[in-house]
Amino acid sequence: MTDPSLERGELYRYARHLALPEVGVAGQEKLKAARVLCVGAGGLGSPLALYLAAAGVGTIGIVDFDTVDESNLQRQLLHGTKDVGRDKLDSAVERLADVNPHVRVVPHHTRLSAENALEILANYDVIVDGTDNFPTRYLVNDACVLLGKPNVYGSVFRWEGQVSLFATEGGPCYRCLFREPPPPGLVPNCAEGGVLGVLPGIIGSAQAMETIKLILGVGRSLAGRLLLFDALEMTWREVALRRNPKCPVCGDAPSQPGLIDYEIFCGIKPAPGSEIPGDSPEVPEDRPVEEVEPREAAKRLASEAPPFLLDVRESWEWAVSNLANHGARLIPLSEVGDRVSEVPLDRPIVVYCRSGQRSRVAARRLLSAGRTEVLSLRGGISAWAADVDPDLRVG
């Protein structure tokens, strides 16, 4: 356990904190003794980790398994140009050590899952959610509720952001606000929908502020309140939240006693044994779509009877990188319905996007339009670059 007493160098470093009546030496020692886990070292995790380290939070854990891509640098300030290609955790540990050598950074180089979440989160006092996908967001929430850990939530999209505090005693959890995830592909991620680089800095900083207040035990927390930030209008709005007594996780009689498979819950992969109708003229929006792994798709494309390869990204994404050398054809998702006649009836079809979300939506539309053999490329062109063509540059 970290010795909370402050060294001489720390007294000087944190002098502006010590001058605050709400902090002082006792408060700074609380910060030094605290253990905070940051889930993600990306857009939200960058300002979050930097400010927690600068504030003197004694132990900062970071969960991430990704590498630094050049397209990250517009918003992920933990990393620099020299870090492109490095593991984000290696870059983060090095950067935070430079910010404050008095703090301990614990890297967790893994994908957070139902199998490891409880074990990892149990070692921390506060969990801060800096993720950008729904399965991990629900996983973090449920694990926090089960462990009794506060969950400092943040999310960003385009010009808008949200901040709140979930899973506190008597307060709501994320499931009270969003009981069910949106259908796959309905809400694009930042790579697909875009995000202003400054926005994660604002929301991540607000998460850091809430975390520090929570540790110090000062001020009014965001438990029961959701802050909505509109960068275009430069306004903050507040929505009151209440715990749902019928919530399946934190309610009076929880129906979900443990963690589940969150990719199935969010509709990203089909449940075991689920059947896919073959000849229904109407394909439900929540119908599971068959997927093909990148290496298997590459084999099929190299065969004597290759499938029709359809790219449903935007034209600017195609300009950055594409699979035209494998015969890919571009029809953006928004145009698939009007241009379905350009997709052949007599060939298997493989649809891809950046990460595999939009391609599943497009596949459903093609199935509804009478195409019988449609596969979505699992993981999209990003997975293709990782598994098939490492030299392919994905924006």
Side-chain angles (χ1 to χ4, degrees):
M1 183 175 178
T2 304
D3 180 1
S5 58
L6 302 177
E7 301 172 3
R8 183 183 182 90
E10 291 176 290
L11 291 170
Y12 186 78
R13 176 181 287 265
Y14 306 129
R16 302 301 183 272
H17 275 182
L18 303 182
L20 291 171
E22 297 85 357
V23 183
V25 172
Q28 193 63 49
E29 289 178 343
K30 286 182 181 179
L31 291 172
K32 184 173 181 177
R35 300 173 60 86
V36 176
L37 180 68
C38 305
V39 184
L44 292 172
S46 289
L48 170 65
L50 286 167
Y51 274 113
L52 293 181
V57 172
T59 302
I60 301 172
I62 306 178
V63 183
D64 206 295
F65 62 93
D66 202 2
T67 57
V68 180
D69 184 84
E70 190 172 358
S71 65
N72 300 151
L73 303 182
Q74 160 252 18
R75 65 200 178 281
Q76 299 183 16
L77 301 183
L78 266 177
H79 321 291
T81 302
K82 68 179 179 60
D83 300 313
V84 171
R86 294 179 70 191
D87 287 343
K88 284 185 178 179
L89 283 186
D90 293 341
S91 172
V93 169
E94 180 180 289
R95 177 75 179 97
L96 295 177
D98 184 53
V99 170
N100 191 348
H102 297 285
V103 304
R104 174 173 173 251
V105 181
V106 181
H108 298 275
H109 195 287
T110 184
R111 182 191 294 269
L112 201 66
S113 68
E115 287 70 37
N116 62 23
L118 294 178
E119 180 181 359
I120 293 174
L121 270 61
N123 296 313
Y124 295 90
D125 307 314
V126 182
I127 314 301
V128 192
D129 183 358
T131 61
D132 63 353
N133 65 86
F134 288 103
T136 310
R137 201 168 285 162
Y138 280 98
L139 168 63
V140 170
N141 174 81
D142 294 1
C144 284
V145 172
L146 292 172
L147 292 169
K149 307 281 185 179
N151 172 18
V152 183
Y153 159 77
S155 69
V156 293
F157 179 63
R158 291 181 175 165
W159 296 84
E160 299 177 353
Q162 301 179 354
V163 192
S164 191
L165 176 62
F166 295 124
T168 58
E169 185 176 356
C173 76
Y174 182 75
R175 288 275 198 105
C176 296
L177 180 61
F178 302 109
R179 179 161 182 164
E180 300 290 340
L186 179 64
V187 181
N189 59 29
C190 290
E192 298 165 341
V195 62
L196 184 72
V198 179
L199 181 62
I202 295 170
I203 300 301
S205 296
Q207 288 179 282
M209 177 70 77
E210 188 68 5
T211 301
I212 291 170
K213 285 167 50 192
L214 197 60
I215 294 168
L216 294 174
V218 301
R220 182 187 176 198
S221 84
L222 283 175
R225 297 189 292 154
L226 177 69
L227 293 187
L228 305 172
F229 177 64
D230 185 331
L232 283 177
E233 297 295 327
M234 210 59 184
T235 58
W236 290 89
R237 292 189 297 117
E238 180 177 313
V239 176
L241 305 176
R242 291 183 179 179
R243 186 180 72 89
N244 179 3
K246 296 182 179 180
C247 175
V249 178
C250 76
D252 297 339
S255 59
Q256 182 189 305
L259 302 181
I260 59 177
D261 188 318
Y262 291 89
E263 290 197 340
I264 292 177
F265 176 69
C266 293
I268 292 177
K269 69 180 184 182
S274 62
E275 297 182 358
I276 300 177
D279 56 358
S280 172
E282 294 296 331
V283 180
E285 281 298 308
D286 61 350
R287 162 184 167 173
V289 170
E290 289 189 79
E291 295 184 309
V292 59
E293 298 290 341
R295 289 192 178 95
E296 175 59 26
K299 290 180 183 178
R300 297 190 187 194
L301 290 167
S303 69
E304 294 183 359
F308 180 80
L309 187 58
L310 178 62
D311 187 326
V312 295
R313 299 174 301 157
E314 297 300 317
S315 57
W316 70 265
E317 295 176 280
W318 171 276
V320 174
S321 60
N322 59 68
L323 301 182
N325 59 326
H326 294 280
R329 174 77 177 274
L330 174 67
I331 303 179
L333 177 61
S334 61
E335 301 176 17
V336 167
D338 295 331
R339 299 173 60 184
V340 71
S341 61
E342 300 175 32
V343 181
L345 282 163
D346 58 350
R347 290 171 62 186
I349 302 162
V350 173
V351 189
Y352 76 89
C353 59
R354 187 184 192 279
S355 62
Q357 293 192 40
R358 286 172 286 178
S359 59
R360 287 192 293 271
V361 176
R364 291 190 187 95
R365 292 178 184 174
L366 292 172
L367 289 165
S368 293
R371 275 54 178 178
T372 57
E373 188 176 349
V374 185
L375 301 174
S376 173
L377 183 66
R378 181 184 289 272
I381 196 172
S382 296
W384 179 282
D387 297 345
V388 178
D389 185 2
D391 294 327
L392 184 66
R393 188 186 183 95
V394 180

